[in-house]
Amino acid sequence: MSYAVKAMPRPRSLTAEGIAAAALAVLDRHGTGGLTMRAVAQELGVSTMGLYRYVTDREELEGLVVELVLGAVDPAPPADGTWQERIAALVERVRAAVGAHPAVVPLTMTHRHRSPAILRWSESVAGLLTEAGTDDRQRVVALRGLLAYVIGAIQLEHLGPLAGAGTVAIAGLDPAEFPNLRATAQAARRVPADEEFRGGLALLLAGIGRRGAAT
Amino acid sequence: MSYAVKAMPRPRSLTAEGIAAAALAVLDRHGTGGLTMRAVAQELGVSTMGLYRYVTDREELEGLVVELVLGAVDPAPPADGTWQERIAALVERVRAAVGAHPAVVPLTMTHRHRSPAILRWSESVAGLLTEAGTDDRQRVVALRGLLAYVIGAIQLEHLGPLAGAGTVAIAGLDPAEFPNLRATAQAARRVPADEEFRGGLALLLAGIGRRGAAT
DNA sequence: ACCTGAACACCGTTCAAGT
DNA sequence: ACCTGAACACCGTTCAAGT
C-alpha cells in the first residue's frame, strides 16, 4: 500500500465553501472593512499566502461570500397566490438573505451579476411576469425595475444612517424650509422597515399590473 | 501697512470646493480605486499631509465629492406638467448628475444622507406627493420607494457588467433551463438604458397614482 | 498658522524557499 | 503539490519639524 502513499499528492486542505464560510464569519464579526486576506487566512488556520492557492484574488474571495449569501435564496416560485404575491415572496427572500448579513451589502453590488442563484431567481421572476401577461418589452422594464428596487431598498436600509438616526435628524429640520420632508420623516418613524419595504414593492407591482405604463 | 503683514496669518491655500473639484478630477480620470489622499494632494500641488489641514479624513474628502456631484441637481420642481411628470423630471435629474461621473456611484451610497442638495430635492418630491393626494403613510412609502429605485437603477446601470456584457452573456443561456430569462435578456438588448429607467420609474408612479396599494 | 517629510501600521500580492 | 515567510509597493494617518 506504500505505492500510493509515495505518489499521493498532498491533499488540498481547503474548499471553496470553507473559504466562503470563513470569509462570511469574518464579515459578520468585523464588518466590511475587516474582510482582509490575512483575517480570512487566520480564520482558516492557514498562512496568508495559503489562501492564494485556492483563490486568485481578493476579488474572487468576495465573489465566494456573495454567492454563499445569495445561494441561500430559494429560487422556486411559491406554489400559490396571485402573481403579485408570488413575485413579492421571491423579492422578500432576497431581502431576508442579505439582511441576515448586512456587512455583505457593499459587496453584493459588484458581484451580484455572476451569481447562479440570482440567475435562477431571475428566471422565476421573469416566468411570473410572463404569467402576468407582460410582453417582451414590459417584462424587461419590470424585471429591471424590481431588481433596482430590491438593490436600492436593501442599501437604503443598511447603508448610511438614513434608516435610523438619519430619519430622526430629518424629523428635526426647519419646518419653514422643509415642511413636507419634515412631516414625512416624522411619519416615517412609525412605519416599520418591513412594511416600508413591502409597501414600495406593492407600488411597483401595482404599476406592473396596470399593464403598459407610459414611457 | 506693515502692521498687518506682521500679524497676518498665512492665508489658506485651499478651499473645500477646490478640494472637491480636484477629487472629482482624479475620480473621473483614474476611477474609484484611484481616489487616494496622495493623488488628490498631487492634483492640488500640495503635499499629502497638506490636505489634512482642510479635511479630517478620507471619509470627509469623499463627502465633499459626493456633495459636489449631487449639488448639481436642481431641486426646484418643474413649473408644469402632471405630478407624475414633475416627479419623473426630478428623479431623472439625479440620474443625469450621477451618470456624468460614474466613478462616484460607489461613494454616493455611503455619503448621500448628509447631502443638503438631496434634502432640498426630497422636500420637492415630498411636496409633489402631497399634491398627488397621498396621506402621511403613503408618502413615506412612496418617497422611500422612489429613492430606492433611483439608487438601485443607477447602480445597476454603472456597476457590475449586468448592463452591457452581462445581458449579452445572459442572452446566451441554456434555453431549456432559462427560457424566460433568456428571452427577456434578448429583448433587453433592444431597450435603451434611458427608456428602461423611465419605464421602471413610470411603473412606480403608476402604482403611487393608484393610491393606497395594499401592504 | 500653515505646510512638509519621515515614519508607522496596515493592506494585497510577488517571489524564493521549504516539505 | 501544497504551504510558508520575507519582501515590495502601495494605502491612510501620526508626529516632529520647518517657515
Side-chain angles (χ1 to χ4, degrees):
Chain A
M1 46 169 64
S2 64
Y3 76 99
V5 171
K6 209 170 206 168
M8 193 106 79
R10 182 104 86 100
R12 316 195 103 219
S13 72
L14 305 178
T15 64
E17 301 79 44
I19 293 173
L24 185 54
V26 170
L27 222 32
D28 285 340
R29 201 158 354 104
H30 297 111
T32 318
L35 184 70
T36 67
M37 300 300 279
R38 281 165 171 91
V40 176
Q42 192 177 3
E43 178 80 18
L44 289 162
V46 145
S47 82
T48 305
M49 292 315 300
L51 262 186
Y52 282 85
R53 203 130 289 273
Y54 299 88
V55 135
T56 69
D57 245 348
R58 183 208 158 98
E59 174 91 358
E60 193 176 316
L61 206 188
E62 290 180 358
L64 289 179
V65 215
V66 171
E67 191 47 34
L68 176 61
V69 171
L70 294 181
V73 175
D74 175 4
D80 36 46
T82 63
W83 63 263
Q84 284 96 333
E85 289 167 343
R86 299 165 82 199
I87 291 180
L90 278 168
V91 171
E92 293 199 53
R93 282 184 204 156
V94 173
R95 174 168 176 258
V98 177
H101 304 280
V104 303
V105 172
L107 303 181
T108 45
M109 213 17 54
T110 1
H111 294 276
R112 170 191 30 77
H113 51 285
R114 293 185 223 140
S115 162
I118 288 304
L119 242 46
R120 285 193 304 273
W121 179 91
S122 301
E123 169 64 21
S124 293
V125 176
L128 289 167
L129 287 170
T130 306
E131 220 175 274
T134 55
D135 66 28
D136 267 6
R137 201 194 153 284
Q138 290 167 341
R139 211 178 320 120
V140 168
V141 170
L143 181 56
R144 274 300 203 108
L146 285 166
L147 257 178
Y149 178 75
V150 214
I151 289 171
I154 289 174
Q155 300 211 13
L156 222 39
E157 199 175 341
H158 295 286
L159 259 45
L162 228 170
T167 344
V168 175
I170 292 176
L173 285 176
D174 178 7
E177 208 179 346
F178 298 97
N180 292 286
L181 186 54
R182 202 181 108 107
T184 306
Q186 269 163 354
R189 299 164 73 176
R190 315 232 145 173
V191 183
D194 280 24
E195 261 182 54
E196 206 171 76
F197 182 82
R198 271 194 284 265
L201 183 54
L203 292 177
L204 207 42
L205 291 169
I208 295 172
R210 255 187 83 260
R211 205 67 40 78
T215 312
Chain B
M1 43 169 66
S2 64
Y3 75 98
V5 171
K6 209 169 203 168
M8 192 106 80
R10 181 105 87 103
R12 317 194 102 219
S13 72
L14 304 178
T15 64
E17 302 79 44
I19 293 173
L24 185 55
V26 170
L27 222 32
D28 285 340
R29 202 162 348 110
H30 297 112
T32 317
L35 184 70
T36 66
M37 301 300 279
R38 282 165 171 89
V40 175
Q42 192 177 3
E43 178 80 17
L44 289 162
V46 146
S47 82
T48 304
M49 292 316 299
L51 261 186
Y52 283 86
R53 202 130 292 272
Y54 300 89
V55 135
T56 69
D57 246 350
R58 184 208 156 98
E59 175 91 358
E60 193 177 316
L61 206 187
E62 290 180 357
L64 289 178
V65 214
V66 171
E67 192 45 34
L68 176 61
V69 171
L70 293 181
V73 175
D74 175 5
D80 35 45
T82 63
W83 62 263
Q84 284 96 335
E85 289 166 344
R86 298 164 83 199
I87 292 181
L90 279 167
V91 171
E92 293 199 52
R93 282 184 204 155
V94 174
R95 174 168 177 259
V98 176
H101 303 281
V104 302
V105 173
L107 304 181
T108 45
M109 214 15 55
T110 1
H111 294 275
R112 170 190 30 76
H113 51 284
R114 294 184 222 140
S115 163
I118 288 305
L119 242 46
R120 286 194 304 273
W121 179 92
S122 301
E123 169 64 21
S124 294
V125 175
L128 289 167
L129 287 170
T130 307
E131 220 175 275
T134 55
D135 65 30
D136 267 7
R137 200 194 154 286
Q138 291 167 340
R139 211 178 320 120
V140 169
V141 170
L143 182 56
R144 274 302 204 106
L146 285 166
L147 257 177
Y149 178 74
V150 213
I151 289 170
I154 289 174
Q155 300 210 13
L156 221 39
E157 200 175 341
H158 295 286
L159 260 45
L162 228 169
T167 344
V168 176
I170 292 175
L173 285 175
D174 178 5
E177 208 178 346
F178 298 98
N180 292 286
L181 186 55
R182 201 181 107 108
T184 306
Q186 268 163 354
R189 299 163 74 176
R190 315 232 145 174
V191 183
D194 280 25
E195 260 182 55
E196 205 171 76
F197 182 83
R198 272 195 283 266
L201 183 53
L203 293 177
L204 207 42
L205 291 170
I208 295 171
R210 255 186 83 260
R211 205 66 42 77
T215 310

